[in-house]
Amino acid sequence: MVDLLDTVRVLDFTHVHAGPLCTYQLALMGAKITKIESIDGGDQMRGMGPEASSEMPAGFVGQNANKQSLALDLKAPKGLAIAKRLLADADVLVHNMRPGTMDRLGLGVDAVKQINPLIIYCAISGYGQDGPNAQRPALDHLMQGESGMFDATGLPEGPAVRVGFAVADASTAVIASSAICAALFRRERTGQGAYLDVSMLECCLTVMGLNAYNYLGSGFVHKRVGPNPLAKLGSVGTFTTQRGTLLVNANNYRLFERMAQAVGRADLIERYPAGQVFRSNWEALRQTFADIFATRDADFWEELLTAAGVPVGQVRPLPDVFTNPQLAYRRAVTDLDGQRHVNAGFQVDGAPTAPQSAAPTLGEHSVAVLEAAGLRREEISALRDDGIVA
């Protein structure tokens, strides 16, 4: 069990994807997460996805392991009082509600700091907590479009295409969890809390990396390259084989030489000497390699080029990805109660960042959380009878 954040207590007011994935990262690092959910159905993700009729769809399960669930009516004064009671002992609050919602509930940053001046308050939203677009709704595909991600993706001659997974949400989640960890580190040194205003739009620009830097630095806009890398080199890109699609990244002359020799075409080295810029001949060179790779299957070429020290892989569908022996060796996926979970992507002292408990049912830990906060059983029963706690 990873214990990097084992003394950190997080109140999680998030729902759907970006917020819950952020707190899931913290949970995998050992933080104690109490997920505050509406008594009326809880996190929206409980009813989303291909198994939406299930009480625990995979989309919810996958990012809510290692958390406790408290089902609470925050609009009721008694429910709000419970939330404030829990906040007094919390280290972190995370929410991804639209700007102003937490203020209307009485849980805005100023109100929470009155209760707990040392709190790390993390607010995740589409455009940030203020500004001309702050109140606009933000979903992953909208953020991909607004940030330029959408426009950068697709075939050169075709329309812009959405990235095939929720990259805007996921990027925001990882950056938000990183910011929380940094704020906790500062608090250890200075005793100062923090207000983190995390914007999905700005997080998208961060992960766009070179596309954004090159435009800001020189005005250069990368054209869509489809399945191929940005570099126009004939020894780089995707190649169709007899079975499977090969990915090759021989992106410098030394690797090009190795690749040419490995496939039995040393003559290409003479045709494209080091002093000649073969970038200008990339289409002809690429066609040569395309003809070569079309003669065998991708597994053959992957083994051959790997042995030659050429960076190579394949385009793999998810069912193949999860049978990769490397993932099994690294213990990158954890099985809990028949549900498989993706770990945090790194190990700590040789141990995987794996969840220890399955995702909770709605309100599964309400009694335990409230008892730990000092409420008596009869008080909890009364709250349940009044519809404040579920």
Side-chain angles (χ1 to χ4, degrees):
M1 179 177 176
V2 172
D3 60 357
L4 296 177
L5 299 175
D6 65 340
T7 63
V8 174
R9 292 158 295 185
V10 179
L11 286 188
D12 177 0
F13 293 86
T14 69
H15 59 285
V16 188
H17 191 25
L21 185 58
C22 165
T23 54
Y24 179 59
Q25 299 302 301
L26 302 176
L28 292 177
M29 289 184 267
K32 297 173 176 61
I33 314 290
T34 300
K35 185 175 180 69
I36 310 295
E37 299 189 72
S38 165
I39 60 172
D40 184 21
D43 186 336
Q44 294 175 46
M45 190 63 82
R46 289 185 182 274
M48 299 171 67
E51 338 80 320
S53 60
S54 167
E55 181 182 2
M56 298 280 277
F60 176 84
V61 167
Q63 59 190 12
N64 285 289
N66 258 32
K67 301 180 185 181
Q68 293 185 314
S69 172
L70 167 61
L72 189 63
D73 183 0
L74 291 172
K75 295 179 181 179
K78 290 181 180 179
L80 178 61
I82 290 172
K84 290 182 175 180
R85 185 167 181 168
L86 296 173
L87 280 166
D89 293 321
D91 297 293
V92 179
L93 178 154
V94 187
H95 80 81
N96 62 337
M97 299 184 190
R98 193 176 296 189
T101 301
M102 289 291 274
D103 292 283
R104 290 191 291 274
L105 287 171
L107 295 172
V109 61
D110 292 334
V112 170
K113 281 185 175 181
Q114 291 293 320
I115 300 167
N116 184 346
L118 300 182
I119 197 80
I120 308 299
Y121 190 108
C122 179
I124 299 170
S125 63
Y127 296 89
Q129 295 298 303
D130 50 22
N133 293 335
Q135 289 301 319
R136 291 178 60 179
L139 300 171
D140 179 88
H141 71 288
L142 297 179
M143 290 296 95
Q144 288 194 35
E146 290 284 308
S147 68
M149 284 182 171
F150 217 116
D151 188 62
T153 309
L155 295 170
E157 66 278 8
V161 176
R162 177 187 182 275
V163 177
F165 61 96
V167 63
D169 281 333
S171 302
T172 301
V174 173
I175 290 174
S177 65
S178 173
I180 291 168
C181 289
L184 287 167
F185 178 71
R186 185 183 74 171
R187 193 180 70 175
E188 284 297 304
R189 292 186 296 107
T190 68
Q192 181 181 353
Y195 174 38
L196 306 175
D197 178 355
V198 180
S199 156
M200 290 179 68
L201 177 61
E202 293 163 42
C203 289
C204 288
L205 292 178
T206 297
V207 299
M208 284 184 70
L210 291 176
N211 289 53
Y213 307 152
N214 286 335
Y215 173 72
L216 292 173
S218 65
F220 177 77
V221 177
H222 287 276
K223 298 187 187 307
R224 295 188 206 114
V225 294
N228 292 303
L230 295 175
K232 281 194 172 182
L233 299 176
S235 53
V236 172
T238 57
F239 297 92
T240 301
T241 72
Q242 288 186 350
R243 186 176 69 248
T245 301
L246 195 68
L247 297 167
V248 184
N249 197 14
N251 63 356
N252 59 48
Y253 196 78
R254 176 177 53 83
L255 292 174
F256 161 67
E257 288 181 307
R258 291 181 183 178
M259 181 167 160
Q261 290 170 344
V263 301
R265 290 297 304 273
D267 62 293
L268 294 174
I269 300 171
E270 296 179 7
R271 188 184 308 177
Y272 300 99
Q276 177 182 338
V277 181
F278 61 88
R279 181 186 297 262
S280 60
N281 300 300
W282 73 276
E283 289 181 317
L285 182 58
R286 174 177 170 76
Q287 187 58 55
T288 299
F289 281 121
D291 293 340
I292 293 169
F293 292 133
T295 63
R296 303 292 293 267
D297 63 36
D299 288 342
F300 173 85
W301 294 119
E302 183 178 18
E303 183 177 352
L304 184 77
L305 293 177
T306 297
V310 177
V312 62
Q314 295 185 45
V315 176
R316 302 183 191 278
L318 272 179
D320 289 351
V321 172
F322 284 107
T323 60
N324 189 330
Q326 180 68 16
L327 293 181
Y329 178 85
R330 293 275 298 175
R331 294 171 291 169
V333 177
T334 299
D335 190 298
L336 288 174
D337 297 339
Q339 295 281 357
R340 301 173 74 196
H341 299 264
V342 177
N343 299 342
F346 62 91
Q347 295 187 352
V348 179
D349 302 326
T353 45
Q356 304 299 306
S357 60
T361 56
L362 179 59
E364 179 178 342
H365 304 95
S366 293
V367 172
V369 170
L370 296 178
E371 283 187 333
L375 275 72
R376 301 187 308 275
R377 279 287 177 126
E378 52 269 29
E379 292 179 285
I380 298 171
S381 296
L383 289 168
R384 184 186 299 161
D385 293 340
D386 292 340
I388 307 299
V389 173

